[in-house]
Amino acid sequence: RINDPDNQIPQLSGDYKKGYDQRAGGFCMSQFFGYVFMRKVRVASFFAGIEVSEIWTKSNRNYNFLLMGKDESKKFSVLIGPKIGWIIPLYEKRKIQTLLYNIFIYLYSAAISVAALFYNKAKLLHSGRRKIFNNLAQQCDNKQIVWFHCASLGEYEQGKPLIQKFREQYPDLTFLVTFFSPSGYEVKKNDKDIDILAYLPSDTPKNARKFIQTVKPKAVFFVKYEYWYNFINELYINKIPFYYLSAIFRSKQYFFQPYGRWFAEQLKKC
């Protein structure tokens, strides 16, 4: 690098400067030796290893003041160094939106973990989710499960009459109720119409898949505003009957805007 902050050297300005920079160009070939990790979700895909580059170059300048003439020589260089990176795959438009949704869910879950250090509701939600799969594996084993999911207490009260009606007609069924909010979960811990009570895990592809495989519900009902992309997808893949109760749709909602139609397609699976 040539430094002349005050422009006191006339030979280092304009075309004269090119005679000192020794700029060169040419053909390059590189190899990477390392480890590549790819997840199905692909949010956490990365690579790490060693990169080796072989470079054949020659001068791009007509005159080199250090040689007092044109540099006609050809050079060969080998560069070796570590290479680490995060892989962000490119998808078709809908897959990009799904990827962004999943990244948001991961970040939101991380935010809840941090908030749990300071706020009681976040602490209840975070701690309630930690052992959910072990508990459900024991509670749902060899049972005919009908799953109702509610955001909070008010949504549960809307779905409760249907649970009671089912219980009258099908006494052998077991009713699982999940909540997103601690305000619903804490109040309904001892409700006689609920056989199994749990928090809903965060809506990641892995959690949705594991939840459905653990619970194996015969039918599923989401009450009102609960739209969880990956849970809907897993229910559709496993061909489990899925219904919305008291759902409200308005023309100004996210689903009916140009940027939200990808999610509206998912709602057709219920």
Side-chain angles (χ1 to χ4, degrees), residues 116-129:
L117 300 173
F118 308 98
Y119 301 100
N120 188 52
K121 275 194 173 184
K123 182 179 180 180
L124 290 172
L125 177 59
H126 179 67
S127 60
R129 284 175 166 179

Side-chain angles (χ1 to χ4, degrees), residues 23-78:
R23 193 177 79 174
F27 176 74
C28 175
M29 184 171 62
S30 64
Q31 301 83 39
F32 175 76
F33 305 92
Y35 177 76
V36 178
F37 178 76
M38 300 289 291
R39 292 189 62 182
K40 289 184 178 180
V41 185
R42 301 186 183 182
V43 175
S45 302
F46 66 91
F47 62 87
I50 301 295
E51 185 175 59
V52 181
S53 298
E54 301 87 24
I55 308 168
W56 293 263
T57 60
K58 64 178 182 179
S59 177
N60 292 136
R61 299 307 189 192
N62 293 324
Y63 197 86
N64 186 325
F65 284 119
L66 299 178
L67 300 176
M68 299 305 292
K70 186 174 182 179
D71 185 358
E72 300 286 357
S73 64
K74 296 181 180 179
K75 297 180 177 65
F76 173 71
S77 305
V78 177

